[in-house]
Amino acid sequence: MRRTADMPRYDFQRIEPKWQDYWKQNETFKVDSFEAGREKLYVLDMFPYPSGSGLHVGHPEGYTATDIVCRYGRNRGKQVLHPMGWDAFGLPAEEYAIKTQTHPAVTTYKNIDEFRRQLQMLGFSYDWSREFATTDEDYYRWTQWIFLQLFDTWYDADCEWTGPDGRQRTGKGRPIAELPIPDDVQAAGDDAVRRYQDSKRLAYQHEAPVNWCSALGTVLANEEIVDGKSERGGHPVERFPLRQWMLRITSYADRLINELDDLNWSESIKDMQRNWIGRSTGAEVDFFVGDAADFESWKTWRSEAGFSEEPGDDVLRVYTTRPDTLYGATYMVIAPEHSFVEKLTTPEQKEAVDAYVKQASLKSDLDRTDLAKDKSGVFTGSYAINPVNGEKVPVWIADYVLISYGTGAIMAVPAHDERDWEFAVKFSIPIVTVVARKDSEDVTREPSSVFTEKGVAVNSGEYDGTPTDEFKALITARLHNSGLGKQAVNFKLRDWLFSRQRYWGEPFPIWHELDADGNETGLMRVDSPDELPVVLPEMEKFKPTGTPEPMLSTAPESWLYKTAEDGTKLKRETNTMPQWAGSCWYYLRFADPKNADCFLDPEVEKSWLPVDLYVGGAEHAVLHLLYARFWHKVLFDRGHVSTCEPFQKLVNQGMILGEADENGKAEKMSKSRGNVINPDDVVKDYGADSLRLYEMFMGPLEQVKPWSMKGVEGVYRFLARVWRMITDEFADEVRLNPAVQEAELSEEQERVVHKTIKAVTEDIEKLSFNTAISRMMEFTNEFSPQEVRPKSAMETLTILLSPFAPHIAEELWQLLGHDNTLAFEPWPTFDEAKIAEAEIEVPVQVNGKLKARIKVPAGSDNATIEEAAKQNSSVASNLEGKMIVKVVIVPGRLVNFVVKG
RNA sequence: GCGAGUGUGGCGGAAUUGGCAGACGCGCUGGAUUUAGGAUCCAGUGCCCGCAAGGGCGUGCAGGUUCGAUUCCUGUCACUCGCACCA
């Protein structure tokens, strides 16, 4: 019999819309209320920025993985929270607005509609009733509210407390009202108290060098600069000081490192975060720069007064991780921006110093990194006194020392630091060895190469012979006792620059007080929570001012100004928040998206949080994940959430590259290369189930892998084979294949069924979807040729397949005689006993080389197996005339004869 | 430079308390069916020698441990990602 065109076939174009409709009509995946006592599963995708170019094939990779976990979870009887939304503030919509005079909201919501259509076309089991965009007023109202929490919080680094998670910690974010006010501040009056409080808040204003990008018309966070250019667009960035909003993320640096330990994240992402935070321990040490004659009296005074919090203007304070090399400090360096530059510069050196400092200030970050290893610097003409040996050391200025790290000044030990070595060689500064390799006999005072490892002290007076680690601890303690230094910790992490000068972002709920002349006094007021949201003003032009003056400063006066009840004139803050703000807490809002009274009901929070599985691209390994963890910890400290970490398990999907060329080389997909695959086209040609299945079959989820249209065809063929295994391809209408019968499973069939259930189940648990799919292919290869295909086996496969290819699975489930969706059918179980074979094949080796395979009854004892092996003709001929030295038998796995002669 | 990761057929990949290397898919070869193409089905497919039986080689490379190594150890090379004058 031949197929004809009108006979039913695997018709995804009919099946897929049908079931998408069904799920929508029946609200199959909506979760209304939390059922106490039932296991919960909160699975989250990194929500997309709804760009104008639509969904990319990289999106469905992670989304399919989470969808499989969710659908599987429902079949396992869990209550599943699986939401989707939009990270919708951001530059592209605003750039488009500038070009076309269209309000960014219009573009944004249009793009969202397109993204939603594309995601629904792929059959993801989201609870769409929870959808929101970060640009919704109902949402950013609470983003502003959280900002007010940050504004209302100071970090008490010494507070010891036990959180609702039962863990003891030191350091806590506390309400600003609980901040102790020093007596002298109190005495200076209310305004002084307010300014003091403002200086301690987690959200504070700060005049600091910023990264200004004139092309984008905004300042950018350090994290948004790549190679001295803007991460977005690659535009040049200049640095100059500007008053900006900052978030005190550095207060949480230690907790952001420590609390990574218990998370189920890949070590490499944890490492990237640890690296980014960059904690180092060492010591701060004071070098005396006053009149040399006063050195001894200064030391005596210090040993009584102790190490001061502020260094004072007769000392140069340095930070070092190697206090054990103090005796080898042959010069010092201060950053060109250091406040001591002027004071330490002698008249003879003034001209050279001025020139150098000016040149350094003109260098952009790009220049500084480009010239990386080429050291430059200038001598100030002054000397400091080394506190441990009283020696005079020259003080230099060089831009390899950064003002933003440590104290902006270093002691240089050229013998044991590569940068100092280079500098000393270039400027002919003495180099003195103070650390030697252990057991090394000849220690030259002037070494021929730099030695940066640990060893034992030499040329270090009474400390000679002390091992590095011991010496570090010892000298730090002694410096502390004599008031000359103390142990110190430093981080690479900087406070987070939180303001932008663009329009399309959340306005700050902040007012600045104005004096009679309309100038800002520096004092601030906040909008009360019931005045939120502070809605973006309607505007017609979106072009940046071209200066660091924020866009919103051109907003209507009615939005910009008001008079407080006490008569004080107020001006609104005109910066907006960066795009990160909205994505810092969306996972919380998904649990309670419609709540009008609260950002998240505490009971709901305890039910659904934390996120059990979070899947997204590795490009967010530091920024988004670090920021979100920081906000979460602040909310935790303030009692708004009950867990200290938001995301229990994190998985980063690997990037999907374009199709490989004839040389087998695959490149990143990009418009300019013309190798972008559009999901719409794939769905049109092969269907959503094939796209989903293919993306999971390509290889391990976390791995980078190239696209292959032939591969899509491969999984499409598999689905068509499953279809033909269960349906009758020769009938005039869709109906069951006559081979599918109510029949008992044969022993062999039962074995295949149970083996497949076991493998697919375990693979899903491991997120090893590619191997799960190959197991189902094996099942199909086994059953397709059979003339009797028991219905129960077909039902089992249908359920196993349903998380991966839900549309075809629902359709087959219906054909197999079921009225309901299979979304909540119990997941099949397996019986280990039914997987075992009666007779097993055992490989036989002679001297580790495979010679034969023998069949023995399962559970045979070693003697039986050995005997059977010797009976094998091939083995026997290999053993002939040899002496058997040893027989290795691994029950059920292998036999190895070790022979001699 | 520092940190992390990855190297397996023509291609994507599978196999880890050390025990049959190459599951599954793609591609390729041959065959069946077909007016033809497509689709489908069957058989084969790591490399080398050989008509065959059979033999040799083989998980980036070089060593080591072991009866036995893709897996463990040492060294080395290549590629990818992240950070990059952080004292």
Side-chain angles (χ1 to χ4, degrees), chain A residues 498-535:
Chain A
F498 192 68
S499 41
R500 300 292 183 274
Q501 291 69 47
R502 302 300 296 259
Y503 172 78
W504 194 226
E506 300 88 346
F508 285 80
I510 293 284
W511 294 93
H512 297 278
E513 292 187 6
L514 302 179
D515 61 20
D517 302 326
N519 294 318
E520 293 184 13
T521 63
L523 291 169
M524 290 174 282
R525 300 195 184 184
V526 298
D527 285 295
S528 70
D530 54 14
E531 290 172 291
L532 301 181
V534 179
V535 178

Side-chain angles (χ1 to χ4, degrees), chain A residues 19 22-23 26 28 75 798-799 806 809-826:
Chain A
W19 289 100
Y22 175 96
W23 297 324
N26 292 278
T28 307
N75 292 119
T798 303
I799 296 175
E810 290 274 21
E811 184 72 10
L812 292 172
W813 188 247
Q814 195 179 54
L815 277 168
L816 286 161
H818 303 276
D819 297 332
N820 265 331
T821 169
L822 49 49
F824 305 102
E825 281 301 310

Side-chain angles (χ1 to χ4, degrees), chain A residues 412-619:
Chain A
V413 185
H416 306 292
D417 181 281
E418 278 176 37
R419 296 150 298 179
D420 298 346
W421 171 272
E422 260 178 67
F423 192 87
V425 168
K426 180 162 178 183
F427 292 100
S428 306
I429 298 169
I431 299 170
V432 176
T433 299
V434 290
V435 186
R437 278 192 174 77
K438 271 182 197 132
D439 311 322
S440 163
E441 282 158 27
D442 57 343
V443 172
T444 39
R445 201 176 155 84
E446 286 170 39
S448 57
S449 67
V450 64
F451 174 65
T452 57
E453 285 147 59
K454 291 175 187 175
V456 294
V458 295
N459 300 322
S460 299
E462 58 183 301
Y463 300 101
D464 281 0
T466 314
T468 299
D469 285 332
E470 200 180 309
F471 191 4
K472 270 191 196 176
L474 184 63
I475 191 93
T476 306
R478 295 219 177 145
L479 286 167
H480 186 75
N481 286 339
S482 48
L484 300 171
K486 68 154 201 199
Q487 202 193 321
V489 174
N490 261 295
F491 299 94
K492 289 192 215 173
L493 184 70
R494 303 267 75 90
D495 274 344
W496 174 12
L497 197 155
F498 192 68
S499 41
R500 300 292 183 274
Q501 291 69 47
R502 302 300 296 259
Y503 172 78
W504 194 226
E506 300 88 346
F508 285 80
I510 293 284
W511 294 93
H512 297 278
E513 292 187 6
L514 302 179
D515 61 20
D517 302 326
N519 294 318
E520 293 184 13
T521 63
L523 291 169
M524 290 174 282
R525 300 195 184 184
V526 298
D527 285 295
S528 70
D530 54 14
E531 290 172 291
L532 301 181
V534 179
V535 178
L536 278 168
E538 280 303 324
M539 292 176 73
E540 272 155 33
K541 293 194 172 157
F542 303 96
K543 202 169 166 50
T545 58
T547 69
E549 188 65 22
M551 233 319 295
L552 286 178
S553 61
T554 62
E557 299 243 322
S558 59
W559 188 86
L560 274 178
Y561 297 99
K562 77 170 180 186
T563 305
E565 281 176 16
D566 64 3
T568 311
K569 288 244 191 289
L570 301 172
K571 182 184 181 191
R572 239 187 227 294
E573 171 64 49
T574 52
N575 282 290
T576 50
M577 300 186 201
Q579 196 183 350
W580 306 110
S583 59
C584 266
W585 73 284
Y586 73 111
Y587 59 94
L588 292 171
R589 189 63 177 175
F590 275 141
D592 198 10
K594 302 278 189 311
N595 196 326
D597 307 318
C598 181
F599 86 112
L600 167 62
D601 182 277
E603 285 309 308
V604 173
E605 186 272 331
K606 285 191 192 74
S607 303
W608 285 114
L609 271 285
V611 173
D612 298 291
L613 173 65
Y614 193 25
V615 177
E619 67 272 19

Side-chain angles (χ1 to χ4, degrees), chain A residues 541-807:
Chain A
K541 293 194 172 157
F542 303 96
K543 202 169 166 50
T545 58
T547 69
E549 188 65 22
M551 233 319 295
L552 286 178
S553 61
T554 62
E557 299 243 322
S558 59
W559 188 86
L560 274 178
Y561 297 99
K562 77 170 180 186
T563 305
E565 281 176 16
D566 64 3
T568 311
K569 288 244 191 289
L570 301 172
K571 182 184 181 191
R572 239 187 227 294
E573 171 64 49
T574 52
N575 282 290
T576 50
M577 300 186 201
Q579 196 183 350
W580 306 110
S583 59
C584 266
W585 73 284
Y586 73 111
Y587 59 94
L588 292 171
R589 189 63 177 175
F590 275 141
D592 198 10
K594 302 278 189 311
N595 196 326
D597 307 318
C598 181
F599 86 112
L600 167 62
D601 182 277
E603 285 309 308
V604 173
E605 186 272 331
K606 285 191 192 74
S607 303
W608 285 114
L609 271 285
V611 173
D612 298 291
L613 173 65
Y614 193 25
V615 177
E619 67 272 19
H620 293 116
V622 274
L623 308 182
H624 159 61
L625 287 168
L626 198 62
Y627 294 154
R629 292 178 63 222
F630 163 50
W631 278 34
H632 195 89
K633 286 180 193 303
V634 176
L635 292 170
F636 175 75
D637 287 3
R638 293 299 304 267
H640 298 301
V641 298
S642 58
T643 58
C644 69
E645 284 286 339
F647 313 118
Q648 253 316 297
K649 182 177 166 87
L650 171 77
V651 173
N652 294 112
Q653 86 247 29
M655 202 186 347
I656 297 181
L657 305 176
E659 190 112 16
D661 61 20
E662 54 284 0
N663 305 316
K665 254 190 74 100
E667 290 183 294
K668 233 169 149 165
M669 284 189 195
S670 72
K671 275 186 194 150
S672 57
R673 289 197 186 89
N675 61 351
V676 176
I677 306 286
N678 182 345
D680 281 316
D681 297 340
V682 181
V683 170
K684 187 168 147 282
D685 294 343
Y686 300 98
D689 282 339
S690 290
L691 175 64
R692 295 170 55 118
L693 204 61
Y694 171 64
E695 293 209 9
M696 294 301 97
F697 188 60
M698 292 173 87
L701 182 61
E702 301 193 57
Q703 197 165 298
V704 177
K705 37 207 180 273
W707 184 267
S708 158
M709 223 30 124
K710 287 286 187 191
V712 182
E713 268 177 51
V715 294
Y716 169 78
R717 279 204 281 270
F718 162 65
L719 289 178
R721 227 159 46 234
V722 171
W723 181 258
R724 288 194 306 271
M725 176 171 72
I726 296 176
T727 69
D728 186 351
E729 61 177 317
F730 299 116
D732 292 336
E733 54 185 28
V734 178
R735 66 167 192 219
L736 275 190
N737 193 303
V740 177
Q741 297 162 19
E742 298 282 356
E744 290 282 306
L745 293 165
S746 72
E747 213 171 293
E748 179 58 20
Q749 288 175 333
E750 195 166 51
R751 218 176 56 74
V752 173
V753 168
H754 283 254
K755 210 173 69 175
T756 308
I757 297 170
K758 178 179 155 85
V760 172
T761 306
E762 290 175 354
D763 284 347
I764 292 177
E765 301 270 356
K766 285 186 292 188
L767 308 185
S768 177
F769 305 119
N770 54 331
T771 51
I773 293 165
S774 75
R775 298 307 195 143
M776 291 187 279
M777 289 172 167
E778 286 178 278
F779 178 102
T780 308
N781 292 345
E782 288 277 348
F783 273 91
S784 286
Q786 304 204 14
E787 278 162 30
V788 177
R789 305 167 200 158
K791 198 174 151 202
S792 70
M794 298 302 106
E795 289 176 334
T796 299
L797 179 77
T798 303
I799 296 175
L800 294 182
L801 180 62
S802 67
F804 299 82
H807 309 88

Side-chain angles (χ1 to χ4, degrees), chain A residues 193-264:
Chain A
V193 171
R194 288 173 65 188
R195 287 179 205 275
Y196 180 77
Q197 287 177 325
D198 288 349
S199 73
K200 300 289 181 188
R201 298 175 190 274
L202 292 186
Y204 64 100
Q205 288 194 86
H206 183 59
E207 180 102 12
V210 296
N211 308 297
W212 166 254
C213 177
S214 57
L216 294 176
T218 186
V219 302
L220 299 169
N222 285 326
E223 288 84 345
E224 292 167 307
I225 314 291
V226 176
D227 293 335
K229 295 187 173 175
S230 66
E231 185 188 26
R232 177 181 288 282
H235 304 295
V237 173
E238 325 163 47
R239 284 177 74 80
F240 51 74
L242 196 66
R243 194 167 175 77
Q244 291 294 316
W245 281 97
M246 309 289 290
L247 296 186
R248 210 178 298 276
I249 189 171
T250 50
S251 295
Y252 282 80
D254 264 327
R255 279 169 62 190
L256 287 167
I257 290 181
N258 296 337
E259 292 171 9
L260 276 174
D261 289 350
D262 298 332
L263 296 178
N264 187 1

